[in-house]
């Protein structure tokens, strides 16, 4: 009887482990909403054609800013997203390990990492940020509260560029649900528009979560 009960408990634990959503391992993204909340937010987003790139420059989105002491936004994200991160007196990461969620690559040299803007700055510009004050654009570019910043491999970040989900998704398919929810959350909070192809791609990925 005892062995039977033990077998039942072990079976239940294994079942629980097997049915943990894959995206649950990617806990570094802050304030990541549920699928239900993401669906509500997606439904509420304004669908509009993207605006022009006229006047765009990365300098319109000042980065990186001081967050605490000698630590700026990049260094703060590196410490948040890495394991066993060691920093020097200037807050530079001298060692640690990071797993790039976009391509599931493990990196031990922080110089090989980019801090990606989930919603790229150029995409934000085309979706409404062109009309913001430069102070609001600075807040957007350094937003640590929303799931907007993530340490990823430089190669994955360059592959993404300023493309939206209709044009690019992470090659690591297990992260696509979290990526979709994060994209929607950022666009929703910052009241940015989406185009029709972007919305269709987001809905497709959300349905697959």
């Amino acid at each position: 009887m005892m062995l039977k009960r033990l077998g039942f408990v072990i079976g239940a634990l294994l079942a629980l482990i097997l049915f943990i959503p894959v995206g649950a391992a990617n806990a570094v993204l802050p304030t990541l909403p549920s699928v239900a909340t993401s669906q509500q937010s997606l439904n509420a987003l304004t669908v509009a054609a993207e605006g022009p790139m006229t006047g765009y420059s990365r300098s319109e989105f000042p980065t990186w800013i001081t967050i605490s002491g000698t630590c700026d936004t990049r260094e703060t994200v590196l410490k948040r997203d890495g394991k066993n991160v060691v920093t020097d007196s200037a807050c530079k990461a001298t060692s640690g390990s990071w797993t790039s969620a976009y391509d599931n690559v493990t990196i031990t040299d922080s110089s090989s990492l980019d801090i990606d803007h989930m919603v790229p700055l150029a995409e934000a510009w085309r979706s409404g940020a062109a009309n913001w004050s430069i102070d609001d654009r600075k807040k957007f570019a350094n937003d640590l509260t929303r799931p907007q910043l993530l340490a990823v491999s430089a190669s994955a970040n360059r592959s993404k560029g300023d493309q939206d989900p209709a044009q690019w998704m992470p090659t690591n398919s297990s992260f696509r649900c979290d990526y979709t929810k994060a994209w929607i959350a950022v666009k929703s909070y910052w009241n940015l528009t989406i185009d029709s192809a972007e919305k269709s791609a987001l809905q497709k990925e959300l349905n697959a979560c």
Side-chain angles (χ1 to χ4, degrees):
M1 178 63 73
M2 183 63 71
L3 287 175
K4 184 176 180 181
R5 183 175 299 174
L6 181 60
F8 176 79
V9 172
I10 292 173
L13 288 173
L14 285 173
L16 180 61
I17 292 170
L18 288 171
F19 284 98
I20 292 175
V22 174
N26 302 303
V28 293
L29 284 171
T31 59
L32 197 65
S34 66
V35 172
T37 298
S38 298
Q39 184 64 69
Q40 293 173 353
S41 297
L42 179 59
N43 293 343
L45 287 172
T46 299
V47 178
E50 290 188 342
M53 289 293 288
T54 306
Y56 171 75
S57 168
R58 282 191 67 92
S59 63
E60 292 289 337
F61 295 81
T63 57
W64 302 110
I65 62 172
T66 299
I67 300 300
S68 177
T70 60
C71 301
D72 65 18
T73 315
R74 172 183 168 83
E75 294 153 353
T76 301
V77 175
L78 286 175
K79 288 198 293 184
R80 183 198 70 186
D81 291 1
K83 294 180 180 179
N84 304 315
V85 178
V86 176
T87 58
D88 61 19
S89 59
C91 203
K92 302 294 184 183
T94 57
S95 64
S97 176
W98 295 263
T99 298
S100 170
Y102 287 174
D103 47 8
N104 205 30
V105 172
T106 297
I107 296 169
T108 55
D109 180 1
S110 63
S111 66
S112 297
L113 291 158
D114 282 352
I115 305 303
D116 182 51
H117 291 93
M118 188 68 62
V119 174
L121 306 183
E123 166 67 19
W125 182 270
R126 296 188 294 263
S127 305
N131 300 317
W132 297 352
S133 67
I134 196 161
D135 185 57
D136 281 341
R137 290 196 288 266
K138 179 171 70 174
K139 291 176 182 176
F140 174 82
N142 297 275
D143 188 358
L144 290 165
T145 304
R146 262 61 56 182
Q148 165 68 338
L149 299 172
L150 187 65
V152 298
S153 70
S155 58
N157 189 38
R158 310 300 160 76
S159 172
K160 173 183 174 180
D162 65 352
Q163 300 176 94
D164 70 31
Q167 305 156 323
W168 186 92
M169 288 296 290
T171 56
N172 178 16
S173 59
S174 68
F175 186 67
R176 289 179 180 176
C177 179
D178 280 359
Y179 184 82
T180 299
K181 293 188 292 182
W183 183 284
I184 294 170
V186 172
K187 283 225 162 177
S188 178
Y189 178 84
W190 288 98
N191 198 29
L192 294 168
T193 61
I194 54 175
D195 62 43
S196 56
E198 179 185 352
K199 182 173 185 177
S200 295
L202 290 167
Q203 186 63 69
K204 177 184 176 182
E205 294 297 335
L206 206 56
N207 290 344
C209 282

